[in-house]
Amino acid sequence: MRRVVVTGMGIISPVGNDVPTYWESLLSGKNGIGPITRIDTTDYKAKLAAEVKDFDPLQYMDKSEARKYDLCIQYALAAAQQAMDDSGIQGTLPSERLGVYFGSGIGGINTVTSQLEVLNTKGPRRVSPFVIPMMISNMPAGMIAIRFDAKGPCLPVVTACATSTHAIGEALRAIRHGYADAILAGGTEAAISPIGVAGFLSCMALNTSEDPNAASLPFDKRRGGFVMAEGSAALVLEEYEHAVARGAKIYAEVAGYGSTCDAHHMTAPAPDGEGAARAIAAALAESGVDSDKVYYNAHGTGTKMNDATETLALKQVFGEERAHKILVSSTKSCTGHMLGATGAAEAIAAVLALRDGVVPPTINLDEPDPECDLDYVPHVKREAELELSMSASLGFGGHDACLAFKPVK
């Protein structure tokens, strides 16, 4: 089976619009959460979100392009451009051997919101001719493929919060089995909109604290829901021999992937954590690494059920004693929940933790929940010798996915 490595990364996030800034922000415990500015929150219980700051689409596209793209597409193109520039892969392989696996959990919901307003106030003839390509969830993948002349497999994965973890995992399998030599994989989201916020509030998923330091609280007994966030993250996955032959910079090997389903409930995780455990166990087994020197970037949303069941899942996979030896943290404590982009953003964190031998913290973990009793690296980063890093995402609908990364030897 062909080996697959990471050779490029890019990100637009609430704590930084490039990989070095994002990584330094995570390590320093920077909190990207603040008052929502995208909408008037007077009638909303949720007042906070983790918005992207200082994003200039004209760094990545001209004005005519930007007008045709929903914000989620703009974010995707920016992260993808960064990753491709970082990898230096463009032009080193035939277009037919380069693919794109890029998803969005919700798609162009800001476009839907604004164009419904146009429809209702000005009539159907005033609706934008770009409304359909701006709103459909496959368009980030399609526009990335057009930009980079990627004529290989092009798939938009849509599995809610697990979207971009699945995109990376399925890209891994496609390269392993010879369907492509490189794939740009990741996800994007820009759903901080009236219907987005109201919808998550109505299903009681969001934390309603007005204190940014008491809003995204993974594994803390005060937790009461996640904080909406936005952004995009992209990774270039490449066949190992091709990367070596062109002298590419290699961050890590993509060593394992697990994909399962709880088949339990529309929004709630299976309370015994069984589905998540199977995904984590599959990625771990596939990696071939048997070590306690593991970092696990948790889904860690800060919802009551998720954090407790994810802790149970880790104990099922590693055993009670060993589970307490591995290092676990939730970077959502800094970034909020980037929905369809979160898996790729957290995969980048897992890759860099492995590269640098340092684990980002879970900030604001002031009151640990007795049900969540593992080592969540509270408050400050921790240096650690790592032999494996993992990243998991658990989405609405019971979608579970986990990735494993190891150093290239």
Side-chain angles (χ1 to χ4, degrees):
M1 198 180 305
R2 305 198 316 166
R3 297 171 66 189
V4 179
V5 293
V6 177
T7 59
M9 300 190 295
I11 194 164
I12 302 294
S13 84
V15 294
N17 294 334
D18 57 67
V19 170
T21 304
Y22 167 73
W23 184 228
E24 179 54 38
S25 294
L26 294 185
L27 293 181
S28 65
K30 180 178 180 180
N31 190 341
I33 296 166
I36 296 173
T37 66
R38 299 284 167 78
I39 65 173
D40 180 356
T41 61
T42 300
D43 296 326
Y44 291 77
K45 289 183 179 180
K47 308 293 185 182
L48 303 177
E51 298 177 346
V52 168
K53 293 91 173 167
D54 303 319
F55 173 70
D56 180 7
L58 301 186
Q59 289 185 285
Y60 303 97
M61 63 202 77
D62 61 36
K63 284 186 179 180
S64 64
E65 287 181 294
R67 284 196 297 267
K68 300 174 186 175
Y69 300 153
D70 185 270
L71 189 58
C72 77
I73 300 174
Q74 294 180 13
Y75 287 163
L77 286 170
Q81 186 70 61
Q82 291 178 23
M84 290 295 283
D85 290 346
D86 186 37
S87 74
I89 195 172
Q90 189 76 41
T92 68
L93 74 175
S95 296
E96 294 80 7
R97 302 299 297 171
L98 175 63
V100 178
Y101 280 27
F102 220 91
S104 175
I106 296 177
I109 196 169
N110 279 291
T111 292
V112 175
T113 301
S114 64
Q115 290 302 302
L116 278 173
E117 179 69 17
V118 171
L119 175 65
N120 291 331
T121 59
K122 299 181 180 180
R125 293 185 180 181
R126 298 294 297 275
V127 170
S128 169
F130 297 105
V131 64
I132 299 301
M134 289 171 77
M135 65 180 271
I136 53 181
S137 294
N138 72 305
M139 201 51 64
M143 297 312 299
I144 290 169
I146 290 168
R147 170 166 292 196
F148 298 109
D149 194 33
K151 297 180 179 178
C154 183
L155 293 177
V157 178
V158 182
T159 51
C161 310
T163 289
S164 50
T165 300
H166 276 128
I168 296 166
E170 295 303 319
L172 165 69
R173 289 178 174 173
I175 298 171
R176 275 181 170 174
H177 293 285
Y179 298 110
D181 293 325
I183 295 179
L184 183 59
T188 188
E189 210 76 85
I192 302 172
S193 66
I195 190 64
V197 177
F200 279 119
L201 271 170
S202 293
C203 66
M204 297 183 292
L206 298 185
N207 191 302
T208 57
S209 171
E210 296 187 35
D211 178 0
N213 293 315
S216 185
L217 298 171
F219 308 111
D220 192 294
K221 68 181 180 182
R222 298 169 295 154
R223 69 189 185 277
F226 69 81
V227 175
M228 284 187 72
E230 60 179 357
S232 181
L235 294 85
V236 173
L237 272 58
E238 186 173 351
E239 191 272 325
Y240 172 70
E241 296 296 343
H242 185 273
V244 170
R246 70 180 186 87
K249 170 183 58 184
I250 296 175
Y251 286 100
E253 181 172 355
V254 192
Y257 168 53
S259 175
T260 63
C261 186
D262 287 358
H264 169 70
H265 188 270
M266 186 180 293
T267 57
D272 60 1
E274 185 270 342
R278 285 187 292 112
I280 299 165
L284 180 64
E286 197 172 82
S287 75
V289 175
D290 182 15
S291 172
D292 295 334
K293 297 177 180 179
V294 175
Y295 167 53
Y296 174 86
N297 187 297
H299 188 54
T301 57
T303 60
K304 286 290 184 184
M305 289 191 67
N306 175 88
D307 295 1
T309 57
E310 191 169 15
T311 298
L312 283 175
L314 287 170
K315 291 178 180 179
Q316 290 175 47
V317 174
F318 290 96
E320 183 78 29
E321 182 179 351
R322 190 177 174 199
H324 284 85
K325 295 179 181 179
I326 69 171
L327 300 179
V328 181
S329 72
S330 173
T331 47
K332 287 185 181 70
S333 59
C334 295
T335 66
H337 192 346
M338 294 168 66
L339 307 174
T342 204
E346 290 160 14
I348 289 174
V351 166
L352 294 176
L354 185 70
R355 182 196 70 177
D356 294 347
V358 60
V359 171
T362 305
I363 65 170
N364 297 318
L365 181 50
D366 298 329
E367 300 181 32
D369 186 335
E371 287 190 275
C372 302
D373 59 349
L374 302 181
D375 186 349
Y376 304 109
V377 191
H379 305 302
V380 295
K381 66 184 180 182
R382 190 180 308 169
E383 293 186 0
E385 182 183 348
L386 299 173
E387 295 180 356
L388 188 74
S389 65
M390 307 181 78
S391 176
S393 299
L394 316 174
F396 279 7
H399 301 289
D400 304 314
C402 185
L403 298 164
F405 302 94
K406 64 184 180 182
V408 173
K409 296 179 181 180

